[in-house]
Short mmCIF file of all heavy atoms in Angstrom, two decimals:
data_model
loop_
_atom_site.label_atom_id
_atom_site.label_comp_id
_atom_site.label_asym_id
_atom_site.label_seq_id
_atom_site.Cartn_x
_atom_site.Cartn_y
_atom_site.Cartn_z
N PHE A 274 -0.95 -49.62 -21.50
CA PHE A 274 -0.74 -50.77 -20.65
C PHE A 274 -1.28 -52.05 -21.09
O PHE A 274 -0.59 -53.01 -21.07
CB PHE A 274 -1.54 -50.38 -19.30
CG PHE A 274 -1.33 -51.48 -18.23
CD1 PHE A 274 -0.08 -51.79 -17.72
CD2 PHE A 274 -2.48 -52.12 -17.69
CE1 PHE A 274 0.06 -52.88 -16.78
CE2 PHE A 274 -2.39 -53.17 -16.72
CZ PHE A 274 -1.09 -53.54 -16.29
N PHE A 275 -2.47 -52.03 -21.75
CA PHE A 275 -2.85 -53.36 -22.36
C PHE A 275 -1.95 -53.88 -23.43
O PHE A 275 -1.71 -55.09 -23.47
CB PHE A 275 -4.32 -53.18 -22.84
CG PHE A 275 -4.86 -54.37 -23.47
CD1 PHE A 275 -5.31 -55.37 -22.58
CD2 PHE A 275 -5.25 -54.53 -24.76
CE1 PHE A 275 -5.92 -56.50 -23.07
CE2 PHE A 275 -5.82 -55.70 -25.20
CZ PHE A 275 -6.18 -56.64 -24.41
N ASP A 276 -1.54 -52.99 -24.26
CA ASP A 276 -0.55 -53.37 -25.30
C ASP A 276 0.75 -53.83 -24.72
O ASP A 276 1.40 -54.76 -25.23
CB ASP A 276 -0.22 -52.20 -26.23
CG ASP A 276 -1.37 -51.98 -27.22
OD1 ASP A 276 -2.39 -52.75 -27.19
OD2 ASP A 276 -1.28 -51.15 -28.10
N GLU A 277 1.20 -53.34 -23.49
CA GLU A 277 2.36 -53.75 -22.87
C GLU A 277 2.12 -55.21 -22.36
O GLU A 277 3.01 -56.11 -22.53
CB GLU A 277 2.62 -52.84 -21.68
CG GLU A 277 3.81 -53.17 -20.84
CD GLU A 277 4.12 -52.41 -19.73
OE1 GLU A 277 3.71 -51.27 -19.82
OE2 GLU A 277 4.71 -52.78 -18.78
N ILE A 278 0.98 -55.42 -21.91
CA ILE A 278 0.54 -56.83 -21.56
C ILE A 278 0.73 -57.79 -22.64
O ILE A 278 1.27 -58.90 -22.54
CB ILE A 278 -0.87 -56.87 -20.95
CG1 ILE A 278 -0.91 -56.16 -19.51
CG2 ILE A 278 -1.30 -58.30 -20.69
CD1 ILE A 278 -2.25 -56.05 -18.90
N LEU A 279 0.10 -57.38 -23.74
CA LEU A 279 0.14 -58.17 -24.94
C LEU A 279 1.54 -58.48 -25.45
O LEU A 279 1.93 -59.56 -25.80
CB LEU A 279 -0.59 -57.57 -26.10
CG LEU A 279 -2.17 -57.46 -25.88
CD1 LEU A 279 -2.73 -56.69 -27.06
CD2 LEU A 279 -2.80 -58.77 -25.71
N ARG A 280 2.42 -57.44 -25.34
CA ARG A 280 3.74 -57.55 -25.84
C ARG A 280 4.56 -58.55 -24.94
O ARG A 280 5.45 -59.14 -25.58
CB ARG A 280 4.50 -56.09 -25.80
CG ARG A 280 5.84 -56.10 -26.37
CD ARG A 280 6.49 -54.77 -26.32
NE ARG A 280 5.77 -53.74 -27.06
CZ ARG A 280 4.97 -52.73 -26.51
NH1 ARG A 280 4.81 -52.64 -25.23
NH2 ARG A 280 4.37 -51.92 -27.33
N THR A 281 4.35 -58.72 -23.82
CA THR A 281 5.19 -59.54 -22.87
C THR A 281 4.51 -60.92 -22.65
O THR A 281 5.05 -61.70 -21.92
CB THR A 281 5.29 -58.86 -21.51
OG1 THR A 281 4.09 -58.61 -20.92
CG2 THR A 281 6.17 -57.50 -21.71
N ALA A 282 3.38 -61.24 -23.31
CA ALA A 282 2.62 -62.46 -23.05
C ALA A 282 3.42 -63.52 -23.64
O ALA A 282 3.97 -63.44 -24.79
CB ALA A 282 1.21 -62.23 -23.58
N VAL A 283 3.34 -64.73 -22.96
CA VAL A 283 3.96 -65.95 -23.45
C VAL A 283 2.85 -67.07 -23.51
O VAL A 283 2.03 -67.17 -22.58
CB VAL A 283 5.06 -66.48 -22.47
CG1 VAL A 283 5.62 -67.89 -22.85
CG2 VAL A 283 6.17 -65.47 -22.44
N PRO A 284 2.71 -67.81 -24.62
CA PRO A 284 1.70 -68.76 -24.71
C PRO A 284 1.70 -69.83 -23.63
O PRO A 284 2.73 -70.18 -23.14
CB PRO A 284 1.97 -69.40 -26.15
CG PRO A 284 2.82 -68.38 -26.79
CD PRO A 284 3.64 -67.71 -25.82
N SER A 285 0.42 -70.26 -23.30
CA SER A 285 0.34 -71.28 -22.21
C SER A 285 0.85 -72.69 -22.68
O SER A 285 1.24 -73.46 -21.83
CB SER A 285 -1.14 -71.42 -21.80
OG SER A 285 -1.50 -70.21 -21.06
N SER A 286 0.86 -72.85 -23.97
CA SER A 286 1.35 -74.09 -24.56
C SER A 286 2.31 -73.86 -25.62
O SER A 286 2.22 -72.81 -26.45
CB SER A 286 0.26 -74.95 -25.07
OG SER A 286 -0.52 -74.25 -25.96
N PHE A 287 3.25 -74.79 -25.87
CA PHE A 287 4.31 -74.55 -26.94
C PHE A 287 3.64 -74.74 -28.31
O PHE A 287 3.05 -75.72 -28.59
CB PHE A 287 5.33 -75.68 -26.74
CG PHE A 287 6.34 -75.61 -27.72
CD1 PHE A 287 7.30 -74.53 -27.85
CD2 PHE A 287 6.54 -76.67 -28.71
CE1 PHE A 287 8.29 -74.47 -28.80
CE2 PHE A 287 7.51 -76.69 -29.70
CZ PHE A 287 8.41 -75.54 -29.80
N ASP A 288 3.88 -73.71 -29.17
CA ASP A 288 3.35 -73.72 -30.49
C ASP A 288 4.37 -73.81 -31.60
O ASP A 288 4.01 -73.82 -32.78
CB ASP A 288 2.35 -72.53 -30.68
CG ASP A 288 3.06 -71.18 -30.57
OD1 ASP A 288 4.29 -71.12 -30.49
OD2 ASP A 288 2.40 -70.13 -30.45
N GLY A 289 5.63 -73.66 -31.17
CA GLY A 289 6.69 -73.80 -32.26
C GLY A 289 6.88 -72.50 -33.10
O GLY A 289 7.76 -72.57 -33.97
N THR A 290 6.14 -71.53 -32.85
CA THR A 290 6.30 -70.25 -33.67
C THR A 290 6.88 -69.16 -33.00
O THR A 290 7.82 -68.50 -33.41
CB THR A 290 4.85 -69.86 -34.25
OG1 THR A 290 4.03 -69.63 -33.08
CG2 THR A 290 4.17 -70.86 -35.20
N SER A 291 6.36 -68.86 -31.78
CA SER A 291 6.99 -67.80 -30.99
C SER A 291 8.33 -68.07 -30.29
O SER A 291 9.09 -67.23 -29.97
CB SER A 291 5.92 -67.27 -29.98
OG SER A 291 5.61 -68.34 -29.18
N HIS A 292 8.63 -69.30 -30.03
CA HIS A 292 9.71 -69.90 -29.53
C HIS A 292 10.40 -71.07 -30.19
O HIS A 292 9.78 -71.87 -30.71
CB HIS A 292 9.65 -70.21 -27.98
CG HIS A 292 9.08 -69.10 -27.22
ND1 HIS A 292 7.77 -68.86 -27.06
CD2 HIS A 292 9.68 -68.09 -26.44
CE1 HIS A 292 7.60 -67.78 -26.33
NE2 HIS A 292 8.79 -67.31 -25.87
N GLY A 293 11.76 -70.93 -30.34
CA GLY A 293 12.47 -72.00 -31.24
C GLY A 293 12.44 -73.39 -30.67
O GLY A 293 12.68 -74.35 -31.50
N SER A 294 12.29 -73.53 -29.47
CA SER A 294 12.42 -74.83 -28.81
C SER A 294 11.49 -74.88 -27.59
O SER A 294 11.24 -73.89 -27.06
CB SER A 294 13.84 -75.19 -28.45
OG SER A 294 14.19 -74.34 -27.42
N ARG A 295 11.26 -76.09 -27.12
CA ARG A 295 10.38 -76.32 -26.00
C ARG A 295 11.14 -75.71 -24.75
O ARG A 295 10.58 -75.06 -23.78
CB ARG A 295 10.05 -77.72 -25.75
CG ARG A 295 9.00 -78.24 -26.68
CD ARG A 295 8.48 -79.63 -26.30
NE ARG A 295 7.45 -80.05 -27.16
CZ ARG A 295 6.18 -79.82 -26.95
NH1 ARG A 295 5.80 -79.11 -25.94
NH2 ARG A 295 5.28 -80.24 -27.81
N GLU A 296 12.48 -75.88 -24.75
CA GLU A 296 13.31 -75.40 -23.62
C GLU A 296 13.24 -73.85 -23.53
O GLU A 296 13.03 -73.34 -22.41
CB GLU A 296 14.70 -75.83 -23.74
CG GLU A 296 15.53 -75.35 -22.63
CD GLU A 296 17.03 -75.99 -22.71
OE1 GLU A 296 17.34 -76.67 -23.67
OE2 GLU A 296 17.84 -75.55 -21.89
N ALA A 297 13.35 -73.19 -24.71
CA ALA A 297 13.17 -71.73 -24.77
C ALA A 297 11.90 -71.36 -24.26
O ALA A 297 11.77 -70.34 -23.56
CB ALA A 297 13.49 -71.26 -26.12
N TRP A 298 10.82 -72.00 -24.70
CA TRP A 298 9.45 -71.66 -24.31
C TRP A 298 9.24 -71.80 -22.81
O TRP A 298 8.70 -70.91 -22.01
CB TRP A 298 8.41 -72.51 -25.00
CG TRP A 298 7.08 -72.54 -24.49
CD1 TRP A 298 6.13 -71.43 -24.55
CD2 TRP A 298 6.44 -73.53 -23.70
NE1 TRP A 298 5.05 -71.78 -23.85
CE2 TRP A 298 5.14 -73.07 -23.36
CE3 TRP A 298 6.87 -74.77 -23.32
CZ2 TRP A 298 4.21 -73.78 -22.67
CZ3 TRP A 298 5.89 -75.48 -22.45
CH2 TRP A 298 4.64 -75.10 -22.19
N ARG A 299 9.80 -72.95 -22.23
CA ARG A 299 9.61 -73.20 -20.72
C ARG A 299 10.41 -72.11 -20.01
O ARG A 299 9.92 -71.53 -18.97
CB ARG A 299 10.26 -74.54 -20.45
CG ARG A 299 9.35 -75.69 -20.86
CD ARG A 299 9.88 -77.01 -20.23
NE ARG A 299 9.26 -78.18 -20.87
CZ ARG A 299 9.89 -78.89 -21.80
NH1 ARG A 299 11.07 -78.71 -22.17
NH2 ARG A 299 9.31 -79.93 -22.32
N ASP A 300 11.50 -71.62 -20.43
CA ASP A 300 12.24 -70.53 -19.74
C ASP A 300 11.44 -69.32 -19.84
O ASP A 300 11.41 -68.46 -18.82
CB ASP A 300 13.54 -70.24 -20.49
CG ASP A 300 14.59 -71.48 -20.24
OD1 ASP A 300 14.35 -72.21 -19.27
OD2 ASP A 300 15.64 -71.60 -20.95
N ALA A 301 10.75 -69.04 -20.99
CA ALA A 301 9.98 -67.83 -21.14
C ALA A 301 8.79 -67.88 -20.17
O ALA A 301 8.40 -66.84 -19.60
CB ALA A 301 9.46 -67.57 -22.59
N VAL A 302 8.15 -69.01 -20.11
CA VAL A 302 7.01 -69.14 -19.26
C VAL A 302 7.38 -68.87 -17.82
O VAL A 302 6.64 -68.21 -17.00
CB VAL A 302 6.40 -70.62 -19.32
CG1 VAL A 302 5.45 -70.85 -18.20
CG2 VAL A 302 5.66 -70.68 -20.61
N ARG A 303 8.56 -69.48 -17.29
CA ARG A 303 9.03 -69.24 -15.96
C ARG A 303 9.32 -67.73 -15.66
O ARG A 303 9.04 -67.21 -14.51
CB ARG A 303 10.26 -69.97 -15.74
CG ARG A 303 9.93 -71.57 -15.55
CD ARG A 303 11.14 -72.30 -14.88
NE ARG A 303 12.20 -72.37 -15.95
CZ ARG A 303 12.50 -73.37 -16.70
NH1 ARG A 303 11.57 -74.43 -16.67
NH2 ARG A 303 13.43 -73.51 -17.61
N SER A 304 9.74 -67.03 -16.60
CA SER A 304 10.29 -65.69 -16.39
C SER A 304 9.16 -64.58 -16.66
O SER A 304 9.21 -63.49 -16.18
CB SER A 304 11.59 -65.29 -17.18
OG SER A 304 11.25 -65.37 -18.53
N SER A 305 8.19 -64.94 -17.41
CA SER A 305 7.10 -64.00 -17.77
C SER A 305 6.08 -63.76 -16.78
O SER A 305 5.75 -64.66 -16.04
CB SER A 305 6.38 -64.47 -19.17
OG SER A 305 5.41 -63.61 -19.51
N GLU A 306 5.55 -62.54 -16.72
CA GLU A 306 4.43 -62.26 -15.75
C GLU A 306 3.09 -62.29 -16.42
O GLU A 306 2.11 -62.03 -15.84
CB GLU A 306 4.73 -60.91 -15.14
CG GLU A 306 5.85 -60.79 -14.20
CD GLU A 306 6.07 -59.41 -13.55
OE1 GLU A 306 5.46 -58.56 -14.00
OE2 GLU A 306 6.79 -59.34 -12.65
N VAL A 307 3.08 -62.65 -17.73
CA VAL A 307 1.78 -62.58 -18.57
C VAL A 307 1.76 -63.89 -19.24
O VAL A 307 2.62 -64.32 -20.11
CB VAL A 307 1.72 -61.47 -19.41
CG1 VAL A 307 0.32 -61.47 -20.17
CG2 VAL A 307 1.88 -60.13 -18.69
N ARG A 308 0.67 -64.60 -19.14
CA ARG A 308 0.36 -65.88 -19.87
C ARG A 308 -0.78 -65.59 -20.90
O ARG A 308 -1.71 -64.88 -20.58
CB ARG A 308 -0.09 -66.94 -18.87
CG ARG A 308 -0.05 -68.37 -19.37
CD ARG A 308 1.39 -68.91 -19.40
NE ARG A 308 2.10 -68.80 -18.16
CZ ARG A 308 2.04 -69.61 -17.16
NH1 ARG A 308 1.22 -70.67 -17.19
NH2 ARG A 308 2.77 -69.43 -16.05
N LEU A 309 -0.57 -66.10 -22.03
CA LEU A 309 -1.57 -65.99 -23.11
C LEU A 309 -2.12 -67.27 -23.48
O LEU A 309 -1.51 -68.39 -23.63
CB LEU A 309 -0.67 -65.44 -24.34
CG LEU A 309 -1.49 -65.56 -25.75
CD1 LEU A 309 -2.63 -64.62 -25.87
CD2 LEU A 309 -0.42 -65.18 -26.81
N GLN A 310 -3.48 -67.27 -23.71
CA GLN A 310 -4.25 -68.45 -24.12
C GLN A 310 -5.31 -68.02 -25.14
O GLN A 310 -6.11 -67.21 -24.95
CB GLN A 310 -4.94 -69.07 -22.81
CG GLN A 310 -5.43 -70.47 -23.15
CD GLN A 310 -5.73 -71.19 -21.76
OE1 GLN A 310 -4.74 -71.31 -20.94
NE2 GLN A 310 -6.88 -71.58 -21.52
N TRP A 311 -5.40 -68.89 -26.19
CA TRP A 311 -6.43 -68.74 -27.15
C TRP A 311 -7.39 -69.89 -27.07
O TRP A 311 -6.99 -70.99 -26.95
CB TRP A 311 -5.83 -68.81 -28.61
CG TRP A 311 -5.07 -67.52 -29.07
CD1 TRP A 311 -3.65 -67.46 -29.10
CD2 TRP A 311 -5.52 -66.33 -29.47
NE1 TRP A 311 -3.33 -66.16 -29.57
CE2 TRP A 311 -4.44 -65.50 -29.81
CE3 TRP A 311 -6.89 -65.87 -29.65
CZ2 TRP A 311 -4.61 -64.18 -30.30
CZ3 TRP A 311 -7.04 -64.50 -30.11
CH2 TRP A 311 -5.90 -63.67 -30.29
N ASP A 312 -8.61 -69.51 -27.02
CA ASP A 312 -9.70 -70.57 -26.73
C ASP A 312 -10.77 -70.23 -27.76
O ASP A 312 -10.94 -69.19 -28.34
CB ASP A 312 -10.28 -70.44 -25.34
CG ASP A 312 -9.20 -70.75 -24.37
OD1 ASP A 312 -8.91 -71.89 -24.03
OD2 ASP A 312 -8.69 -69.71 -23.71
#
Side-chain angles (χ1 to χ4, degrees):
F274 177 60
F275 185 66
D276 283 1
E277 180 182 335
I278 290 173
L279 295 176
R280 183 182 295 110
T281 59
V283 175
S285 291
S286 57
F287 177 67
D288 59 12
T290 57
S291 55
H292 298 87
S294 67
R295 287 188 178 275
E296 182 178 357
W298 166 74
R299 291 192 190 99
D300 289 342
V302 168
R303 282 192 291 267
S304 62
S305 175
E306 294 184 343
V307 183
R308 197 75 53 83
L309 161 69
Q310 192 164 301
W311 288 102
D312 298 282

